[in-house]
Amino acid sequence: MRHFKLTILYFVAILSFASCKQEPSNKANDLAVYKCPMACEGEKTYNAFNSCSICKMDLKVIEQTSKVIVNNAISDESIFNLTTTWNTEEDEAIQLEDLKGKTLVLVMIYTTCKAACPRLVADMRNIEKQIPENQLKDLQFVLVSIDPETDTPERLKSFAIENHMDRLHWTFLQGTESSVREFANVLAVKYKQISPMDFSHSNIISVFNSGGELMHQQEGLGVDNKETVKTIIELTNKN
């Protein structure tokens, strides 16, 4: 019996010693770089904990980088949950989620409008002028037509060129009547066709973060856009 107890104690001691030799379970060490403390192999490094093959000493951490976990989840408040397909002015089929990763500045218009829409377009261009050039790559101005029957991709392309809105950070979208109505409801934009070529509609510019969450709305025509520009720049700096 005494011999049995001594044997058990012996194995416990061996296991304890072995566990001491293991690298601590620390997720931050997954990207660590190791090197022999005696530099037996010069500048040679290892990506995993071990012992030096020459002096048998434990390798030491010389560099450690924390892992960055990118969360690609879409929140319940994101417009990227809408899975309808849209056509761009370049006649490319996209979903709203394809715009993910950039700050979005969005307005709903129609190209044959002679009253409010030209002023909304001017407001969008005025906002663009106040954004530093180096931040435009992280920003997307999006104009969604509320008249998809008239505003074909070809028509939207012509409109973009006519209004000097044909750089990469401008996107025009044509959807179906149902997808446009659904999107307008999400933005609390109201519109109604009052004649074959005319609509009454809300005048709202909306700002979304890179995850598609609504962060700010500017309502009215020619209004002070200081807060809108501030929100855009702050969000773009986070991208």
Side-chain angles (χ1 to χ4, degrees):
M1 188 68 177
R2 176 182 173 83
H3 177 73
F4 177 75
K5 289 182 177 179
L6 289 174
T7 302
I8 293 296
L9 289 174
Y10 173 76
F11 279 108
V12 169
I14 292 295
L15 289 173
S16 298
F17 177 76
S19 65
C20 290
K21 295 284 288 181
Q22 293 176 352
E23 177 66 0
S25 178
N26 186 336
K27 291 183 179 179
N29 286 338
D30 289 347
L31 299 182
V33 177
Y34 301 85
K35 182 179 177 182
C36 173
M38 302 304 293
C40 294
E41 298 178 276
E43 297 302 315
K44 184 175 180 179
T45 59
Y46 298 84
N47 293 325
F49 175 77
N50 211 324
S51 299
C52 174
S53 60
I54 298 176
C55 70
K56 307 304 180 184
M57 292 183 66
D58 290 347
L59 300 179
K60 300 297 182 184
V61 176
I62 62 171
E63 181 180 341
Q64 187 168 303
T65 305
S66 298
K67 285 185 175 181
V68 177
I69 299 175
V70 179
N71 185 3
N72 289 318
I74 297 174
S75 75
D76 293 339
E77 292 76 30
S78 174
I79 58 171
F80 300 147
N81 288 301
L82 302 176
T83 58
T84 47
T85 299
W86 302 78
N87 299 315
T88 72
E89 78 280 9
E90 302 294 344
D91 203 14
E92 296 175 345
I94 69 169
Q95 292 188 338
L96 293 176
E97 191 176 359
D98 293 324
L99 302 174
K100 184 178 180 181
K102 292 190 175 185
T103 300
L104 304 180
V105 185
L106 190 146
V107 69
M108 301 188 79
I109 64 163
Y110 65 106
T111 63
T112 56
C113 177
K114 303 300 181 184
C117 295
R119 297 177 67 183
L120 281 173
V121 168
D123 286 342
M124 290 283 278
R125 292 184 59 191
N126 181 268
I127 291 171
E128 177 203 26
K129 290 178 182 178
Q130 298 180 65
I131 306 300
E133 183 71 23
N134 66 331
Q135 289 184 297
L136 290 175
K137 68 180 186 303
D138 297 314
L139 182 63
Q140 202 69 34
F141 291 89
V142 184
L143 293 91
V144 179
S145 173
I146 61 175
D147 185 11
E149 184 175 346
T150 301
D151 289 335
T152 62
E154 294 77 15
R155 171 61 186 151
L156 292 174
K157 178 69 172 179
S158 297
F159 185 85
I161 294 173
E162 291 167 7
N163 289 276
H164 308 288
M165 304 165 81
D166 53 340
R167 293 179 65 185
L168 291 177
H169 56 265
W170 290 98
T171 297
F172 289 76
L173 297 180
Q174 174 214 36
T176 63
E177 288 189 14
S178 61
S179 62
V180 171
R181 182 64 64 186
E182 177 187 43
F183 195 38
N185 288 337
V186 170
L187 298 184
V189 170
K190 299 185 183 300
Y191 69 93
K192 180 181 180 181
Q193 189 166 7
I194 56 179
S195 74
M197 297 293 289
D198 200 11
F199 293 78
S200 63
H201 57 88
S202 305
N203 302 308
I204 298 175
I205 294 176
S206 303
V207 180
F208 297 84
N209 64 17
S210 59
E213 298 166 320
L214 181 62
M215 305 302 291
H216 176 76
Q217 286 190 308
Q218 169 183 307
E219 187 168 5
L221 300 171
V223 299
D224 184 357
N225 57 27
K226 181 179 179 181
E227 196 62 34
T228 301
V229 172
K230 178 183 176 183
T231 301
I232 292 169
I233 291 177
E234 288 176 351
L235 290 174
T236 305
N237 283 334
K238 296 178 181 179
N239 290 351

